[in-house]
Amino acid sequence: MPCEGGNTPAALTALYSALQGGLGGAGTGPLVMTALGSSPSAILERVTQPWDGVDVVIATSGSTSGAGNLVGLSYAALAASARATFETLRGPGQWLTSLPAHHIAGFQVVLRSALAGIPPVVHSGDPRRLAEEISSMRADVPRYLSLVPTQVLRILEADPTPLTHLDAILVGGAALPAPLAERARAAGVPIVTTYGMTETSGGCVYDGVPLPGVSVTLEDSRVLIAGPTLATRYLHTSAQPFRTVGGVRHLVTSDLGEWQGDRLAILGRSDDVIISGGVNVPPAVVEEAITAALGSLWSVVGVPDERWGALVVAVTEGDAPLERVREATAHLAPAFRPRAVVSAQLPHLPSGKVDRRAVAELAAAALREGRAELHG
């Protein structure tokens, strides 16, 4: 059963109604989430695996590889995630939509609303109407919002006051730099940083702590996740990211992490690591250092280079000289310090994530055309 995943009132109302029914209607088949106006045929023709145990199909964005995965999820897993969120926050409440529902974060906003029996308020997409939309939400239940880091930054730069009237704002889709999180909290914005993915039915670790029922294991820094929120399977390939460890089914992620006390810190993706001069450089570490010193959002990528193998390049929508960027990363190993800075609009995927592949292409073009500041 195709279902458009846009943020129009009609699309969200249709999805809300379908989810209130718990899915599983006779003869309806799985709910195939598609971008607004797109055909489900492009998704369905990629399916090679069984449908059993699959109630919802969501395609990932493919921010690293460029080719997204078709994730088949059960209604039980999705609902387990939503209920764990209720338990971790202040219970069921009303949500303001802000993300497309054909991606897992936006989908979960509608599902949580359906399980609570409280229709979401539809965000117009106009930040100037944010205060009006929040004020229209019910005052007798908790009020929630889900954002990606770029949205957080832009609202903070405009006027964060409306956000202070919410009970919790889940921030995910990408790592939220610590300085930006501190800035938001200092402004009274009740952010909750989340980590998760489509394969875990959305965020499964809030502020570094796994949701109830979720367990996280580190294997040579690789993050493995277990619990009732795991997806059923990939539908487009027989290669599956799941493994049984100690009799328990785990998702083997591409993420690297470490425990900082009893909280999980994500260091970045293993497939994002830049090898420069024979040294492994995790972009997230460099981005965090620059953001802490200079503010704004940064994307650090590797560009092929004859001398270094990959040149570490820092890209930002702001305007910071390379000298300051290298000063900001002086406490890191020499290979971690960017050797070029590019000022350009950061491209984003429909999910709201920074498109790292597009950023790398943008950085490579800037270097070829002499539009980057290079370290001598």
Side-chain angles (χ1 to χ4, degrees), residues 52-297:
D52 59 288
V54 174
D55 297 307
V56 178
V57 181
I58 296 180
T60 65
S61 58
S63 59
T64 300
S65 66
N69 297 309
L70 292 187
V71 184
L73 299 124
S74 69
Y75 180 80
L78 291 159
S81 172
R83 293 188 175 106
T85 293
F86 294 161
E87 186 175 343
T88 302
L89 300 181
R90 295 182 55 190
Q94 186 170 44
W95 290 78
L96 176 65
T97 68
S98 65
L99 301 169
H102 62 285
H103 290 292
I104 191 63
F107 182 93
Q108 274 289 5
V109 164
V110 184
L111 176 58
R112 295 174 195 134
S113 300
L115 289 175
I118 304 173
V121 171
V122 180
H123 178 40
S124 64
D126 184 350
R128 294 170 297 184
R129 295 190 57 190
L130 186 62
E132 172 191 340
E133 290 161 352
I134 291 175
S135 67
S136 74
M137 298 175 74
R138 288 174 52 173
D140 60 331
V141 296
R143 302 191 289 182
Y144 302 125
L145 174 61
S146 183
L147 298 173
V148 296
T150 301
Q151 292 172 308
V152 174
L153 175 64
R154 288 175 178 162
I155 293 173
L156 287 178
E157 290 179 338
D159 179 13
T161 305
L163 298 185
T164 65
H165 300 297
L166 295 169
D167 291 279
I169 300 166
L170 305 185
V171 184
L176 180 68
L180 184 55
E182 291 166 7
R183 178 179 168 187
R185 290 178 176 129
V189 178
I191 61 167
V192 176
T193 61
T194 72
Y195 164 72
M197 57 214 72
T198 307
E199 292 87 341
T200 59
S201 298
C204 60
V205 176
Y206 284 13
D207 284 338
V209 179
L211 291 180
V214 173
S215 65
V216 175
T217 303
L218 299 184
E219 188 178 88
D220 294 329
S221 297
R222 180 71 63 96
V223 177
L224 278 64
I225 301 170
T229 69
L230 295 190
T232 304
R233 70 179 62 87
Y234 284 162
L235 293 170
H236 61 293
T237 175
S238 60
Q240 300 292 328
F242 305 101
R243 189 202 312 161
T244 298
V245 181
V248 178
R249 183 172 181 258
H250 286 72
L251 170 71
V252 181
T253 76
S254 296
D255 297 314
L256 303 175
E258 66 179 15
W259 291 107
Q260 296 179 353
D262 59 354
R263 295 181 184 270
L264 177 69
I266 300 300
L267 305 178
R269 290 177 60 91
S270 59
D271 48 8
D272 274 349
V273 170
I274 303 164
I275 303 177
S276 184
V279 178
N280 289 347
V281 179
V285 174
V286 185
E287 291 164 356
E288 185 88 8
I290 303 173
T291 301
L294 304 180
S296 191
L297 289 178

Side-chain angles (χ1 to χ4, degrees), residues 308-328:
W308 299 101
L311 199 70
V312 179
V313 182
V315 184
T316 183
E317 294 181 352
D319 184 19
L322 177 59
E323 180 183 359
R324 292 192 65 198
V325 170
R326 289 189 55 89
E327 287 174 356

